Amino acid sequence: MNGPLILIVEDEPQMLRFIRASLGSHGYRLLEAGTAQEATQLATTHAPELILMDLGLPDMDGLELTKQMREWTRTPIIVISARGREDDKVLALDAGADDYLTKPFGINELLARIRVALRHVREAASNVSEPVLTIRDLTLDLGKRQVLVSGKEVHLTPTEYKLLALLAQHRGKVLTHRQILKDVWGPAYANQSHYVRVHMAELRKKVEADPARPKLIVTEPGVGYRMRED
């Protein structure tokens, strides 16, 4: 077996068995850690391609471990946790996690999130951004800074374009309000969440068939936004 190597950081035996069986049957190679200390050791010695991180570890909170790992690795981290509050998701994503799944979750959803995270790694490793992105009815030409919806050109303001390009380049991934503000407006605007809401409303008017029921850029309530891939 030569599939991607995934580190599972989980101390709950039943959940560990579920993930082990599910991912193993889909060709992934697995490492398992039940504590933060074990996770750090395995991550440094085996260089996994992705980390599944439970937050309720016996020796350290998973949020703190995620922050520590982000100091020395860019390996994608998907948090899997029973903590389902919006604040918990925001904290995890702002701590450096790439995605967040609330227990219980279906294996198909987990597999889809893993595929998205690994694809982002491959794109970053190639160091070549896709010049043209096509997502549903949207076509975004990054080289020409051109946006087409159903084949017709749409004119965006510079801010709207930056917002759309950011979401498109991270399609399938949740971006928190803070992450969007830092990347589009700069660190000084990290707490101005109303900026995102106002510009998102205008952007949706231009790229969504029905802005009141968006199908392309979906809201993750209390957390941020995600551009769909399908």
Side-chain angles (χ1 to χ4, degrees):
M1 186 183 298
N2 58 358
L5 181 63
I6 295 179
L7 170 60
I8 306 170
V9 187
E10 171 64 70
D11 68 331
E12 183 184 335
Q14 186 175 358
M15 177 58 67
L16 182 57
R17 286 194 297 269
F18 167 70
I19 297 175
R20 180 194 299 139
S22 301
L23 298 188
S25 65
H26 284 81
Y28 292 104
R29 294 177 295 136
L30 305 176
L31 297 168
E32 299 173 9
T35 66
Q37 183 177 357
E38 292 173 351
T40 301
Q41 182 178 2
L42 289 173
T44 53
T45 57
H46 291 79
E49 293 164 72
L50 183 139
I51 299 170
L52 294 180
M53 176 78 71
D54 180 37
L55 296 184
L57 301 175
D59 56 339
M60 179 186 293
D61 188 85
L63 281 178
E64 184 60 33
L65 179 58
T66 297
K67 290 179 183 178
Q68 289 186 11
M69 285 187 166
R70 274 292 166 259
E71 294 177 359
W72 55 270
T73 181
R74 297 308 306 164
T75 299
I77 297 174
I78 299 178
V79 166
I80 49 174
S81 174
R83 304 178 196 172
R85 296 186 310 137
E86 294 169 358
D87 288 350
D88 294 320
K89 296 179 183 180
V90 171
L91 286 172
L93 293 166
D94 283 341
D98 294 83
D99 210 339
Y100 191 108
L101 271 175
T102 302
K103 300 176 182 177
F105 50 80
I107 186 58
N108 288 334
E109 183 176 12
L110 175 60
L111 290 169
R113 300 291 182 90
I114 289 173
R115 288 193 297 269
V116 168
L118 292 176
R119 177 176 56 74
H120 288 158
V121 171
R122 289 192 296 271
E123 290 176 356
S126 69
N127 202 29
V128 178
S129 297
E130 296 177 67
V132 180
L133 304 176
T134 301
I135 307 155
R136 297 172 72 92
D137 295 331
L138 173 74
T139 301
L140 175 60
D141 189 321
L142 297 172
K144 298 179 179 178
R145 296 177 66 89
Q146 184 182 52
V147 179
L148 303 176
V149 177
S150 298
K152 297 181 180 179
E153 186 168 5
V154 174
H155 296 283
L156 304 180
T157 67
T159 298
E160 289 166 355
Y161 178 82
K162 288 175 67 177
L163 184 56
L164 181 67
L166 176 67
L167 289 163
Q169 289 173 305
H170 293 86
R171 59 201 180 279
K173 177 180 175 181
V174 179
L175 296 179
T176 67
H177 296 102
R178 182 179 292 270
Q179 290 170 327
I180 293 171
L181 286 161
K182 284 183 177 179
D183 284 357
V184 175
W185 283 273
Y189 295 85
N191 295 316
Q192 305 296 324
S193 59
H194 64 282
Y195 279 40
V196 181
R197 289 193 297 271
V198 170
H199 285 82
M200 184 64 71
E202 294 303 312
L203 176 60
R204 280 172 164 164
K205 290 178 184 177
K206 298 180 179 181
V207 302
E208 297 278 6
D210 184 356
R213 298 178 178 82
K215 301 294 185 183
L216 179 65
I217 304 172
V218 296
T219 301
E220 296 285 342
V223 180
Y225 298 92
R226 180 201 300 266
M227 179 173 283
R228 295 178 58 176
E229 291 195 289
D230 56 353

